[in-house]
């Protein structure tokens, strides 16, 4: 990827504008990396969907096989969601650097930014670009754009029980969708206003009931 060469080039220049432009170029490269990852997940999902449809046609052991494949799809979709969130953070950092560039043109110096620091902290959790983000973070700290970032304070671990509960529900939806209802469960359909049911059954007279009562009176 040549990131080492880019970092070396940036280190040889003390001009704030050159540093910012170099960071912007590096961030654009990371955008392309995330785009490739998203594309790869999309192709993997299409292939897994095909396998589920084929497995669903078999009688023996098809349920277990389909469930495992559906879990792969759910996991891939979660990963893609995280990658899109990372792209949004990259955009935010790039926009903040544009403001930095405008400030540098006026005073020829960096301005400390808590926004950039928060976004870079979030990006340190994205494994696909973690190394480059770590290097850029160190450079920004050295330049005075952000304060020291504690990388060890962040990790990708989630509450496994909560993840499993939500994932199983998504697995059922995926199976139902891809097997035309042969496997899995249909997503719950909510009709009417929340809490609205049969008003007569709840002891609440409907408009029709009121009209009949008035007529009988």
């Amino acid at each position: 990827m040549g990131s080492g060469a880019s970092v070396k080039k940036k280190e040889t220049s003390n001009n704030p504008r050159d540093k910012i432009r170099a960071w912007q170029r590096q961030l654009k490269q990371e955008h392309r990396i995330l785009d490739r990852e998203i594309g790869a997940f999309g192709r993997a999902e299409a292939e897994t969907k095909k396998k589920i449809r084929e497995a669903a046609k078999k009688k023996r052991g098809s349920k277990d096989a389909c469930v495992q494949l559906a879990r792969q799809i759910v996991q891939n979709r979660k990963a893609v969601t995280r990658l899109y969130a990372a792209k949004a953070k990259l955009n935010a950092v790039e926009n903040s650097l544009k403001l930095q560039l405008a400030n540098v043109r006026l005073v020829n110096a960096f301005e400390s930014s808590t926004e950039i620091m928060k976004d870079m902290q979030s990006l340190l959790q994205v494994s696909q670009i973690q190394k480059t983000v770590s290097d850029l973070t160190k450079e920004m700290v050295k330049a005075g754009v952000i304060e020291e970032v504690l990388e060890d304070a962040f990790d990708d671990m989630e509450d496994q029980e909560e993840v499993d509960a939500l994932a199983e529900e998504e697995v059922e939806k995926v199976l139902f969708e891809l097997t035309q209802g042969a496997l899995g469960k249909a997503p719950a359909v909510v009709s009417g206003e929340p809490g609205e049911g049969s008003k007569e059954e709840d002891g609440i007279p409907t408009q029709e009931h009121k009209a009949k009562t008035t007529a009988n009176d």
Side-chain angles (χ1 to χ4, degrees):
M1 189 171 62
S3 60
S6 298
V7 170
K8 184 177 180 181
K9 182 178 180 181
K10 285 179 284 197
E11 288 176 345
T12 60
S13 174
N14 291 321
N15 188 310
R17 282 180 290 183
D18 290 342
K19 285 181 178 290
I20 291 175
R21 291 190 181 105
W23 294 339
Q24 289 174 325
R25 286 193 297 270
Q26 192 64 58
L27 291 172
K28 290 184 186 301
Q29 289 182 23
E30 304 314 299
H31 261 297
R32 289 192 285 271
I33 289 174
L34 295 184
D35 285 335
R36 287 197 295 270
E37 288 287 325
I38 290 170
F41 276 119
R43 291 188 293 274
E45 178 171 332
E47 184 63 27
T48 306
K49 285 181 177 179
K50 181 180 178 182
K51 290 179 181 178
I52 288 177
R53 294 188 180 102
E54 291 174 350
K57 295 176 183 177
K58 300 177 183 179
K59 293 183 178 179
R60 295 186 61 183
S62 64
K63 171 71 174 179
D64 291 341
C66 288
V67 166
Q68 292 301 319
L69 291 169
R71 282 177 179 155
Q72 291 180 22
I73 289 179
V74 171
Q75 291 170 356
N76 283 0
R77 288 178 179 177
K78 286 186 64 179
V80 169
T81 298
R82 287 195 293 268
L83 292 178
Y84 274 115
K87 280 171 62 67
K89 291 293 184 183
L90 285 174
N91 282 330
V93 174
E94 288 183 47
N95 290 332
S96 294
L97 287 177
K98 289 179 182 178
L99 296 177
Q100 285 280 344
L101 189 58
N103 184 68
V104 162
R105 285 175 178 149
L106 291 175
V107 298
N108 197 37
F110 292 113
E111 184 179 61
S112 180
S113 171
T114 56
E115 288 78 11
I116 293 179
M117 184 176 69
K118 291 176 182 178
D119 290 333
M120 295 299 280
Q121 284 177 336
S122 296
L123 290 168
L124 282 169
Q125 301 179 67
V126 184
S127 60
Q128 290 86 347
I129 60 175
Q130 191 175 57
K131 176 63 170 63
T132 300
V133 171
S134 178
D135 291 342
L136 287 175
T137 298
K138 291 173 183 175
E139 290 184 14
M140 290 179 181
V141 169
K142 190 175 180 180
V145 177
I146 62 177
E147 296 179 3
E148 192 74 29
V149 175
L150 301 177
E151 297 180 36
D152 294 340
F154 302 92
D155 55 60
D156 292 322
M157 299 301 293
E158 300 178 68
D159 189 313
Q160 197 57 47
E161 290 185 4
E162 182 180 352
V163 170
D164 290 343
L166 294 173
E168 287 308 309
E169 183 179 343
E170 290 300 316
V171 166
E172 293 294 333
K173 291 179 183 178
V174 169
L175 287 175
F176 187 87
E177 171 194 342
L178 296 179
T179 64
Q180 287 75 48
L183 296 173
K185 297 178 182 178
V189 178
V190 179
S191 59
E193 295 296 325
E196 181 180 323
S198 174
K199 293 184 178 180
E200 285 191 81
E201 291 179 1
D202 293 336
I204 304 173
T206 62
Q207 291 296 329
E208 183 181 357
H209 180 74
K210 289 179 180 178
K212 289 181 179 179
T213 304
T214 303
N216 291 334
D217 292 342

